[in-house]
């Protein structure tokens, strides 16, 4: 009996000394595999059709910094265009250096950039540059009013009326938590839709945006866009935005996107 007990305990010792470490090793290998599979594979980035010749540069505003008064004030426009937008461009030029995107046009960067942009420097600043370039052209002194032509008809058909569209768009802009943008876009099905994106993301970021499409109208709801004049009253800024929308430009974007 004593011999059998000795054998049994020997067997148990063997089990705990050899088998258990083996089991544990297998478990930890499985865990490592799980962690590895959670990291997305490096994306294959298709080359663009054309390469960019020089660095990104700050586009002119196209109107005087005071031209949108009283709806958007002069100092906000100055700081927004000359400092914020310029900083996105400086950081974008710096961010793409030595990367696959070094010579890519902005649209090609946006459509190819993925969440695997470790420090998000390219994503944030490419988005920042595109969004602001688009925003300045969306605004115009003495503008506002109503959309015309095919866009007006489509807005009525898609949202019920212009007022209902305005309400939905305003709600999307109010609903952005923290910093971001509200958009009116045309989807791949050629239908209008309203969406919002956080930070400097936009609907052209095919690998990132929840809803992708071609923006025709966009509103910057970062505090830097309105805080000097409106402080915490973002809804008042959104209402004021409708007085300076360049519907002629938005209508042209609509017509181009529908082709
Ligand atoms: Mn801004």
């Amino acid at each position: 009996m004593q011999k059998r007990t000795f054998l049994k305990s020997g067997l148990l010792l063997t089990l705990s000394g050899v088998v258990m470490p083996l089991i544990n090793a297998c478990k930890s290998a499985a865990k490592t595999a799980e962690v590895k599979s959670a990291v997305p594979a490096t994306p294959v980035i298709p080359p663009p059709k054309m390469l960019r010749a020089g660095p990104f540069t700050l586009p002119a505003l196209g109107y005087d910094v005071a031209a949108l008064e009283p709806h958007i004030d002069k100092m906000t426009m100055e700081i927004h265009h000359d400092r914020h937008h310029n900083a996105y461009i400086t950081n974008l030029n710096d961010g793409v250096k030595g990367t696959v995107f070094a010579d890519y046009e902005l649209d090609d960067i946006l459509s190819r950039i993925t969440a695997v942009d470790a420090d998000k420097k390219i994503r944030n600043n490419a988005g920042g540059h595109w969004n602001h370039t688009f925003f300045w052209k969306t605004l115009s002194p003495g503008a506002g009013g109503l959309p015309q032509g095919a866009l007006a008809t489509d807005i009525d058909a898609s949202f019920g009326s212009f007022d209902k569209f305005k309400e939905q768009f305003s709600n999307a802009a109010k609903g952005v938590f923290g910093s971001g943008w509200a958009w009116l876009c045309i989807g791949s099905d050629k239908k209008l839709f309203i969406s919002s994106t956080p930070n400097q993301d936009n609907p052209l970021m095919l690998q990132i945006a929840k809803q992708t499409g071609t923006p025709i109208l966009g509103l910057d709801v970062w505090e830097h866009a309105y805080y000097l004049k409106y402080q915490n009253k973002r809804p008042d800024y959104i209402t004021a935005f409708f007085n300076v929308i360049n519907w002629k430009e938005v209508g042209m974007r609509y017509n181009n996107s529908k082709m």
Side-chain angles (χ1 to χ4, degrees):
M1 283 300 275
Q2 267 183 357
K3 194 179 177 186
R4 193 178 286 174
T5 310
F6 172 78
L7 278 175
K8 250 191 194 172
S9 56
L11 192 63
L12 282 172
L13 273 174
T14 310
L15 270 174
S16 59
V18 176
V19 180
M20 287 313 288
L22 263 177
I23 291 172
N24 287 337
C26 286
K27 275 185 188 166
S28 105
K31 261 188 194 167
T32 311
E34 265 172 41
V35 171
K36 273 187 184 160
S37 68
V39 177
T42 308
V44 177
I45 299 171
K49 286 181 195 138
M50 276 179 67
L51 288 177
R52 182 169 43 81
F56 293 106
T57 54
L58 182 67
L61 199 51
Y63 41 84
D64 190 81
V65 283
L68 304 178
E69 293 263 13
H71 310 294
I72 303 179
D73 61 288
K74 180 186 174 198
M75 190 180 277
T76 296
M77 289 302 288
E78 257 172 16
I79 296 172
H80 202 174
H81 176 266
D82 299 356
R83 300 194 213 163
H84 287 279
H85 190 173
N86 203 42
Y88 294 122
I89 293 164
T90 304
N91 292 328
L92 176 60
N93 282 325
D94 188 44
V96 295
K97 263 183 209 158
T99 75
V100 69
F101 296 125
D103 300 320
Y104 279 37
E105 293 286 3
L106 196 49
D107 285 6
D108 289 321
I109 295 176
L110 295 178
S111 62
R112 288 161 173 80
I113 195 91
T114 69
V116 193
D117 172 26
D119 59 3
K120 296 194 171 77
K121 186 168 183 175
I122 300 176
R123 172 180 173 176
N124 289 339
N125 291 293
H129 181 27
W130 192 94
N131 294 349
H132 287 84
T133 304
F134 180 83
F135 188 53
W136 311 134
K137 288 187 195 153
T138 302
L139 309 173
S140 177
L146 296 167
Q148 304 293 321
L151 172 60
T153 309
D154 200 351
I155 284 179
D156 286 347
S158 303
F159 304 104
S161 66
F162 178 77
D163 285 343
K164 282 184 181 160
F165 154 73
K166 186 176 174 180
E167 189 186 340
Q168 275 188 50
F169 184 88
S170 300
N171 286 340
K174 288 175 201 166
V176 173
F177 183 77
S179 301
W181 291 75
W183 305 100
L184 174 64
C185 301
I186 297 179
S188 53
D189 57 1
K190 300 289 176 190
K191 287 183 178 165
L192 289 171
F193 71 88
I194 291 167
S195 70
S196 66
T197 52
N199 305 312
Q200 295 295 355
D201 288 356
N202 69 40
L204 295 170
M205 294 181 175
L206 302 181
Q207 329 287 328
I208 291 169
K210 281 183 191 157
Q211 268 183 296
T212 58
T214 306
I216 60 168
L217 176 74
L219 175 57
D220 185 345
V221 293
W222 282 57
E223 281 187 347
H224 69 224
Y226 63 87
Y227 206 85
L228 287 178
K229 184 176 172 72
Y230 296 97
Q231 292 85 46
N232 59 326
K233 293 171 290 216
R234 187 191 285 180
D236 291 358
Y237 160 70
I238 295 167
T239 303
F241 166 68
F242 276 87
N243 294 321
V244 287
I245 296 177
N246 184 353
W247 283 114
K248 200 176 160 193
E249 170 70 23
V250 178
M252 282 196 303
R253 291 169 179 167
Y254 172 85
N255 293 336
N256 291 338
S257 305
K258 291 290 268 191
M259 285 196 293

